[in-house]
Amino acid sequence: MSNSVAIAEHYDIMSATSVVDDNNHTFNSSDQQMDYNNPTYSDYDASYLEMQNLNTIFTFYMPPILILIGSIGNILTLIVLHQKTFKPYSISFYVSSYAIANLLTLYLFLGSEWIAGVADEKTIDNRSDWLCRLWQFIMRVISYSGIWFVVAMVIDRYIVIWHPWKVSSMCTIFMAKFAAVIIIVGLVVVSIHAMWTYELMNNCFPLHNENDIHAMIWPWMSASFYSFIPLALLFIFNILIITGLCLKRPVKHTHNLGPHQMVLTHTTLALSTIYFLLVLPPTVMNVINKTFPPSWLQDSKLMLQMERARVSTYFMAWVNTIILFCLCLLFSRTFRSEFLDILTSKLCFRHQSRIYELQVGSQSSATQVEMDACTETTPL
């Protein structure tokens, strides 16, 4: 399951040799008998082996790495944003919500698929028909919330930069919670159709009825809410934020802003820009997979190239779930300072505990000096 990039009627990652077109026609290269000792061994066979190796790397080795890095980064981000410096600001709530969405996406979807692959078991959505429908619904609500939280971040920063007189009413924790509720409710409404459009047929796939207008139109409508509209909003608001920062517009109204109201602005800009660049290729690839003509199925080399591109862009989208902490460290001075404060306080606490163990019952003045020195170095 891709992270907020697939069009609404999502196709799970199949084997590296299988592609399904708009009418569920299947091209499967494994149907061809390949004799690798035969001197007529072709370039297609070499590409097939290369694709299998790539699929093995992405299926068995990449997921645990992504989950480990993403878990550490997102949890550390939540810890830092929970400090008093960040808690009063709406942008911190949006970033925290995005970090939680990343963790849920990594654990529930990428993690479950990886465990199923390693254990050679069925994935959750392939165990029964009702699980197929329910899991597709839950997957959409959780995974696609990430891109909308990023949109909420850039809109929040846009208000701070271009409409600072509205900050006190629009950029509050209450409004951030209200926006989060709107996002979740909207995704529930848009995604509920998965409960009756998906069915377990060897794998969990959407039903395709050629004469069903709903089946023809709804995928593109939901795709608009899942990808097209949020990507367009990211592009527009990023340009507005860059323009505002270049014009130094916030300086004109600094008396209306709190001392840290501009916090995480550059981080938000970097995050939304990278997010846009990483999800655009898989979005385009999903559109191609949805619309390519059946005649392409006859070109085996083209199908392998498309599968290689699909698998590669699939994991490009997952990079968004693991880079949040690094971006916060790189682009936010306040975040770095708060993170260093936490590290220093923890290290000093352990140092003090060690001194107490060694000097228990003692009134050593040297010990007191060391403890005081450690305490004084905590603030930055």
Side-chain angles (χ1 to χ4, degrees):
M1 186 278 307
S2 111
N3 182 37
S4 304
V5 298
I7 66 174
E9 298 307 329
H10 167 80
Y11 296 121
D12 287 33
I13 284 192
M14 298 165 286
S15 65
T17 61
S18 178
V19 177
V20 177
D21 76 347
D22 208 22
N23 298 313
N24 264 5
H25 299 136
T26 303
F27 164 79
N28 198 320
S29 59
S30 62
D31 294 338
Q32 302 189 17
Q33 288 293 107
M34 293 184 292
D35 182 6
Y36 301 115
N37 296 320
N38 194 310
T40 61
Y41 179 68
S42 65
D43 292 338
Y44 165 76
D45 299 330
S47 298
Y48 170 76
L49 285 178
E50 178 188 347
M51 190 61 240
Q52 279 200 323
N53 292 333
L54 182 64
N55 187 66
T56 300
I57 293 174
F58 281 138
T59 302
F60 294 103
Y61 300 114
M62 287 295 292
I65 296 174
L66 292 173
I67 292 171
L68 178 61
I69 297 175
S71 298
I72 296 173
N74 286 293
I75 291 173
L76 287 176
T77 301
L78 289 172
I79 292 174
V80 175
L81 294 180
H82 191 67
Q83 305 305 307
K84 292 181 179 180
T85 303
F86 293 99
K87 289 182 71 174
Y89 303 107
S90 55
I91 186 64
S92 301
F93 180 85
Y94 292 129
V95 177
S96 298
S97 301
Y98 177 64
I100 293 173
N102 287 341
L103 290 172
L104 290 175
T105 304
L106 286 168
Y107 295 150
L108 294 180
F109 308 120
L110 185 63
S112 65
E113 289 184 1
W114 176 70
I115 292 174
V118 171
D120 197 20
E121 296 287 342
K122 293 181 178 180
T123 57
I124 294 176
D125 58 344
N126 286 326
R127 290 184 175 275
S128 66
D129 188 64
W130 72 270
L131 271 177
C132 165
R133 300 169 187 268
L134 180 62
W135 197 250
Q136 290 296 325
F137 166 70
I138 295 175
M139 176 268 290
R140 281 162 171 72
V141 173
I142 294 178
S143 64
Y144 292 113
S145 65
I147 190 171
W148 281 106
F149 284 132
V150 177
V151 171
M153 293 180 211
V154 297
I155 294 176
D156 182 271
R157 296 298 88 188
Y158 163 78
I159 295 173
V160 169
I161 293 173
W162 287 95
H163 305 284
W165 56 88
K166 296 183 179 180
V167 167
S168 59
S169 60
M170 299 296 295
C171 300
T172 63
I173 294 296
F174 173 80
M175 290 302 297
K177 292 180 179 179
F178 179 75
V181 171
I182 294 298
I183 289 173
I184 298 301
V185 171
L187 288 171
V188 168
V189 172
V190 175
S191 304
I192 195 67
H193 77 286
M195 296 291 288
W196 63 80
T197 57
Y198 272 76
E199 186 175 289
L200 187 61
M201 303 171 291
N202 293 327
N203 285 296
C204 188
F205 288 127
L207 296 173
H208 287 274
N209 298 320
E210 295 183 1
N211 298 324
D212 188 352
I213 297 180
H214 170 269
M216 295 172 58
I217 297 178
W218 186 257
W220 296 102
M221 292 181 60
S222 55
S224 299
F225 289 100
Y226 290 145
S227 297
F228 304 151
I229 293 177
L231 285 177
L233 290 174
L234 287 180
F235 181 77
I236 293 170
F237 281 104
N238 277 344
I239 292 178
L240 292 173
I241 291 174
I242 293 173
T243 303
L245 291 175
C246 291
L247 295 177
K248 299 183 179 179
R249 189 175 178 86
V251 177
K252 299 179 181 179
H253 301 280
T254 51
H255 61 280
N256 291 323
L257 300 178
H260 297 289
Q261 195 59 257
M262 290 295 292
V263 70
L264 296 177
T265 298
H266 294 90
T267 302
T268 299
L269 180 60
L271 173 65
S272 58
T273 301
I274 294 175
Y275 196 105
F276 180 88
L277 294 176
L278 287 176
V279 303
L280 187 60
T283 301
V284 172
M285 197 64 216
N286 277 302
V287 173
I288 294 174
N289 280 336
K290 185 72 176 178
T291 59
F292 73 83
S295 59
W296 287 15
L297 295 171
Q298 307 304 318
D299 190 336
S300 58
K301 290 185 178 180
L302 176 61
M303 288 295 97
L304 280 175
Q305 291 174 355
M306 286 183 59
E307 185 65 14
R308 184 185 294 112
R310 187 183 66 82
V311 174
S312 300
T313 55
Y314 172 90
F315 277 92
M316 282 179 61
W318 283 104
V319 175
N320 282 314
T321 62
I322 68 173
I323 61 174
L324 178 59
F325 177 72
C326 294
L327 293 178
C328 289
L329 280 181
L330 288 174
F331 293 95
S332 175
R333 182 183 303 173
T334 307
F335 187 94
R336 286 197 301 272
S337 298
E338 198 67 35
F339 179 64
L340 290 175
D341 282 348
I342 295 173
L343 284 182
T344 305
S345 63
K346 296 297 183 183
L347 290 175
C348 285
F349 175 77
R350 291 184 179 181
H351 185 53
Q352 292 178 29
S353 299
R354 181 60 178 167
I355 291 175
Y356 177 78
E357 291 175 2
L358 294 175
Q359 303 289 344
V360 60
S362 170
Q363 299 297 325
S364 171
S365 59
T367 300
Q368 186 63 39
V369 169
E370 289 185 27
M371 293 172 64
D372 291 341
C374 185
T375 304
E376 291 175 3
T377 58
T378 299
L380 292 179

